[in-house]
Amino acid sequence: MNIYLDNAATTRVDKRVIKKMLPYFDNKYTNASSIHFPGQENDIEINNCKKEIASVLNGNSQNIVFTSGATESNNLIIKGVMRANVNKGKHFLISAIEHPCVMESARELLGEGFEFDYVPVDKNGVVVLSELEKKIRPDTVLISIMAVNNEIGSIQPMIEIGKIAKRNDIYFHTDAVQAVPYLKIDIKKWQVDFLSLSAHKFYGPKGVGLAYIDKNIKIRPIIVGGGQEDGIRAGTYNLPGIVGMTEALKLSYQERDSYLKEVRNIRDYFWQEIKKKIKNINLNGDLKNRTPNNLNIMFKGIEGEAILIDLSLKGIHVSTGSACSAQNLRTSSVIKALGVEDDYMNSNIRFTFGRYNKKSEVDYTIDKLIKTVERLRSFTPIK
Amino acid sequence: MALNYSKETLKHFRNPKNIGEIKNPDAFAEVGNMVCGDQLAFTLKVEKNKIKDIKFLSFGCASNIATASVMTEMVKGMTLEEAKKFDWNKIVGELEGLPSQKVHCSVLAVEGLKKVILNYEEKNKK
């Protein structure tokens, strides 16, 4: 048994995507920055990819910059925009539930004399708009708020945040890495100036992503070199990755309606069953305002990592939060931001469903999960 | 730095030894807390100044459970004096190593052992 319920950490690459990528390792291997004809053909292919992506995201293809993934995109946008716009101010805002790559980029800027504030979230993990408005200062340059949270799947009010940002003449960035295809990403409607994506979150390859960057706004690059991407991001174009990401993004939105229905059915079935069959569990966040692939469940009286390892020994692979949290074993800042009591901070499991999960896998998981919870609860000292 | 538990650690996690509570124990002690994500409760039975039985309950991760399991196995039959000097490195050795960020689990288990012996000694002061 090998049941993968950690689709928010990464996804399996779609076979159609792999097929599309293969020629770019083989006979179409040329450097897209080369002047010769095979090189120029690849340069044209990159521009075609940008056009296709821009049409899916309802943005301008000139504003797409390919990167190694959303971690790089978030680093580039937050640090690059703040460093290049000190004439506007040195203050910015991020939500309290951002991914560590946003948090760490923000903290790095503190050492350079920049300042930032966290925008708090409510108990369902949605940013409080009145708090956002209160925290805006005359020298606020940038608001960075994720579109969908990685741990609890809560959906943020993009349109409203965009309005607030525009009204106050502040740039708006969103890390939309968990949003494909759950939200209809719409750069114009959301009024975002910057947006980050990673291909591997939507059945594309790892090591490729994009930064949508409004080219009318100043940005200082982090990776410098041969001047690719108008000097914003140097490095040889990752053709197979770019082609793969483009295909994965297109497929994700072409098949969106049926996928959302299927993943929601599986997710809801799982939640209904375990709610009936396992006592003393809570859903972290709200069932409605979250993406249909995500559940984050508190199992009272037992510890999350023990649940995770016990399930993984049975061939069921889940997570205690973001995959990054396994690296440092810190408790989740997201769950903490929801106002969950300290005693329950270590009892949470994230289940994220995906395109390849079957109902039979969910049935097997329910059965094994009941046994895991029973076993661990049989020897907990928590009353 | 990934989590890579040894086979021995996983074995003790799956089938922990000495799990539960001794009825009418001679001593009881709790260490750790829920906020840190690791809590252990020990009960102890002493006979002729030796550890006759020791059991534990756990709210903790796989290595929290495994370290307490292997430690309780190792200290059974020891005199209280020997057990008080028990070194956490022996747990790590017996488990064929622990991931570096999990070594503190073995330290906590030993802390619990010392605390439960102290509880016994306080109760039996002459």
Side-chain angles (χ1 to χ4, degrees), chain A residues 124-361:
Chain A
N124 292 323
V126 179
V127 292
V128 182
L129 293 171
S130 57
E131 288 292 324
L132 168 65
E133 293 202 80
K134 264 190 242 166
K135 290 188 187 294
I136 290 172
R137 308 193 323 203
D139 60 341
T140 305
V141 176
L142 178 71
I143 295 169
S144 179
I145 294 177
M146 61 188 2
V148 171
N149 179 260
N150 51 317
E151 293 190 32
I152 62 165
S154 56
I155 298 168
Q156 306 304 322
M158 286 293 111
I159 295 173
E160 286 77 8
I161 299 167
K163 281 182 191 159
I164 292 169
K166 286 305 119 187
R167 202 161 61 228
N168 290 280
D169 193 26
I170 297 168
Y171 302 138
F172 177 25
H173 164 239
T174 188
D175 171 8
V177 78
Q178 298 284 348
V180 179
Y182 306 105
L183 306 188
K184 270 247 185 256
I185 295 178
D186 192 322
I187 282 166
K188 293 200 177 111
K189 203 162 141 197
W190 290 3
Q191 302 191 74
V192 288
D193 304 292
F194 308 99
L195 180 141
S196 310
L197 288 181
S198 268
H200 75 99
K201 303 288 190 187
F202 47 86
Y203 310 94
K206 290 164 188 65
V208 61
L210 68 85
Y212 186 90
I213 294 172
D214 184 333
K215 296 270 170 81
N216 296 315
I217 301 171
K218 282 185 286 181
I219 187 163
R220 190 185 296 172
I222 289 177
I223 300 176
V224 293
Q228 289 90 347
E229 300 285 13
D230 297 333
I232 292 174
R233 200 275 191 180
T236 301
Y237 289 99
N238 172 4
L239 241 300
I242 291 166
V243 169
M245 173 164 66
T246 306
E247 185 68 9
L249 188 70
K250 266 178 14 192
L251 290 171
S252 290
Y253 279 98
Q254 274 166 15
E255 298 166 3
R256 179 174 187 258
D257 291 347
S258 59
Y259 170 66
L260 291 192
K261 212 169 119 187
E262 280 163 33
V263 82
R264 183 185 297 278
N265 279 343
I266 276 192
R267 193 273 312 261
D268 288 352
Y269 170 70
F270 178 76
W271 174 234
Q272 290 307 324
E273 288 297 302
I274 67 161
K275 210 167 56 171
K276 266 190 285 184
K277 291 173 176 161
I278 304 176
K279 287 198 179 85
N280 291 317
I281 60 173
N282 270 351
L283 183 66
N284 292 312
D286 174 24
L287 194 60
K288 270 189 199 149
N289 190 40
R290 84 198 294 142
T291 52
N293 61 328
N294 175 294
L295 284 177
N296 190 305
I297 300 169
M298 177 194 295
F299 296 88
K300 290 184 179 173
I302 50 179
E303 203 271 339
E305 195 221 276
I307 302 171
L308 182 156
I309 299 285
D310 205 56
L311 288 176
S312 200
L313 286 166
K314 296 169 180 170
I316 301 160
H317 313 301
V318 299
S319 137
T320 48
S322 62
C324 308
S325 63
Q327 306 290 317
N328 48 40
L329 305 174
R330 279 187 305 216
T331 54
S332 157
S333 55
V334 175
I335 301 294
K336 204 178 175 75
L338 303 182
V340 167
E341 282 173 68
D342 285 351
D343 275 359
Y344 298 122
M345 289 286 295
N346 297 294
S347 299
N348 304 298
I349 292 287
R350 178 183 76 178
F351 300 88
T352 44
F353 302 87
R355 197 192 277 167
Y356 305 115
N357 292 128
K358 296 180 185 73
K359 186 173 169 291
S360 60
E361 293 183 335

Side-chain angles (χ1 to χ4, degrees), chain A residues 301-303 305-306 309-310 313 326-327 329 331 342-343 346-347 375-376 379-382, chain B residues 1 3 5 10 13-14 16 19 34-37 39 57-62 65 101-102:
Chain A
I302 50 179
E303 203 271 339
E305 195 221 276
I309 299 285
D310 205 56
L313 286 166
Q327 306 290 317
L329 305 174
T331 54
D342 285 351
D343 275 359
N346 297 294
S347 299
R375 178 172 98 85
L376 297 174
F379 52 75
T380 175
I382 314 300
Chain B
M1 195 168 58
L3 270 183
Y5 284 128
L10 292 175
F13 167 63
R14 279 176 121 152
I19 198 111
M34 285 176 85
V35 182
C36 298
Q39 187 171 336
L57 296 174
S58 158
F59 170 90
C61 61
I65 294 165
Q101 69 271 46
K102 292 290 186 180

Side-chain angles (χ1 to χ4, degrees), chain B residues 58-117:
Chain B
S58 158
F59 170 90
C61 61
S63 65
N64 173 280
I65 294 165
T67 50
S69 167
V70 79
M71 182 192 74
T72 49
E73 277 292 274
M74 291 169 92
V75 301
K76 257 196 244 176
M78 278 187 187
T79 65
L80 296 184
E81 288 311 308
E82 284 169 343
K84 276 199 280 188
K85 286 182 226 147
F86 190 80
D87 179 2
W88 57 264
N89 281 296
K90 286 186 182 155
I91 299 176
V92 181
E94 191 72 15
L95 290 175
E96 293 162 2
L98 273 176
S100 56
Q101 69 271 46
K102 292 290 186 180
V103 171
H104 72 271
C105 292
S106 61
V107 178
L108 186 78
V110 171
E111 197 188 311
L113 173 67
K114 288 179 181 166
K115 203 171 167 187
V116 77
I117 294 172

